[in-house]
Amino acid sequence: MRKPIIAGNWKMNKTAAECRELITALAPKVKDATCDVVVCVPFTDIALAAELTKNTNIAVGAQNIAWADSGAFTGEISAAMLIEAGAEYVIIGHSERRQYFGETDESVNKRLTQALKNGLKPILCVGEMLAEREGGLTEKVCRTQVVGAFDKISASDAEKVVIAYEPVWAIGTGKTATDEQANETIGFIRSVVKELYGAKVADGMRIQYGGSMNAKNVAGLMAQSEIDGGLIGGASLKADDFSIIVGAAK
Ligand code: 13P
């Protein structure tokens, strides 16, 4: 049995004051959750979020991590900095990083390696663009991204990773993959993990769906056999919506 994991990806939203407001409202609403609950906040909110979630069942995550320990990497943030601030999880390879900031399978692999080396729990994002889905390339793209991300990563490290399948065309568009589409592609991703690491790692690996997941469509998605939770953007910015999603992930 895989324990579902619901993670909010706040993206570039919420100042510290807004972070305080949201977490203060959210914590009592999700306190009885039976899934893992994570909020992946902007770097400047991590320490505050960690403070506010102390003695709650909410874990804090970041949205990126540098592949190096320290040094001349302007604009990057190190594992030690994230851990000191109170991050437990880190999103790696989000499609927005791939699209707008030049992230590649190779850089994703380096960041994933660094997160694992430092004991941060990675949420690895993969997913196809609209043209790729329409061109029948969904499985090819997901396979390439998964194989690339896990290059030279051991099975004992791989099993600590959560994968988020996020079809790019469903992100922020209000257009969700159908329950069946999401389930099918996540099942495919699990089969790639099985090829790489065997059945035990594949069966234990939690694979989330992400892309316009909300309070209305969460039940249908979570009812699918392969879907172990969600990575939620827009709907994670409101305590009511996010807590409904958390409540639906049993
Ligand atoms: P939305 O839920 O806003 O579509 O964003 C999904 C996402 O990108 C989460 O990482």
Side-chain angles (χ1 to χ4, degrees), residues 8-163:
N9 174 9
W10 291 7
K11 308 193 178 182
M12 197 175 71
N13 294 292
K14 304 292 178 186
T15 62
E18 293 163 342
C19 166
R20 179 182 295 280
E21 203 176 311
L22 177 51
I23 289 180
T24 305
L26 183 64
K29 291 183 197 287
V30 299
K31 69 177 184 359
D32 298 321
T34 54
C35 62
D36 286 338
V37 183
V38 186
V39 288
C40 296
V41 305
F43 298 137
T44 48
D45 289 344
I46 293 174
L48 174 64
E51 177 65 33
L52 293 169
T53 55
K54 217 180 263 172
N55 305 317
T56 75
N57 55 336
I58 303 173
V60 176
Q63 301 170 16
N64 195 11
I65 177 176
W67 56 70
D69 290 335
S70 64
F73 297 96
T74 301
E76 290 284 306
I77 190 151
S78 74
M81 292 167 186
L82 295 178
I83 291 165
E84 185 183 60
E88 192 181 327
Y89 287 82
V90 59
I91 295 173
I92 296 173
H94 192 279
S95 64
E96 286 148 18
R97 305 267 348 142
R98 295 179 191 255
Q99 269 186 290
Y100 309 136
F101 301 101
E103 201 78 67
T104 63
D105 290 336
E106 192 189 355
S107 62
V108 167
N109 171 251
K110 286 162 77 176
R111 295 184 199 277
L112 186 62
T113 302
Q114 179 71 349
L116 289 164
K117 187 179 103 183
N118 287 278
L120 282 157
K121 298 174 183 164
I123 300 177
L124 165 69
C125 301
V126 300
E128 81 287 358
M129 317 256 278
L130 181 59
E132 292 165 339
R133 172 151 295 258
E134 288 175 348
L137 297 172
T138 298
E139 294 193 346
K140 183 165 184 276
V141 169
C142 290
R143 169 190 294 278
T144 302
Q145 291 180 351
V146 170
V147 171
F150 282 104
D151 187 35
K152 297 189 182 68
I153 288 175
S154 69
S156 62
D157 271 342
E159 63 189 14
K160 297 170 191 146
V161 176
V162 173
I163 297 180

Side-chain angles (χ1 to χ4, degrees), residues 9 11 91 94 96 166 170-173 210-213 231-235:
N9 174 9
K11 308 193 178 182
I91 295 173
H94 192 279
E96 286 148 18
E166 300 206 306
I171 295 178
T173 57
S212 299
M213 199 174 192
L231 184 57
I232 293 96

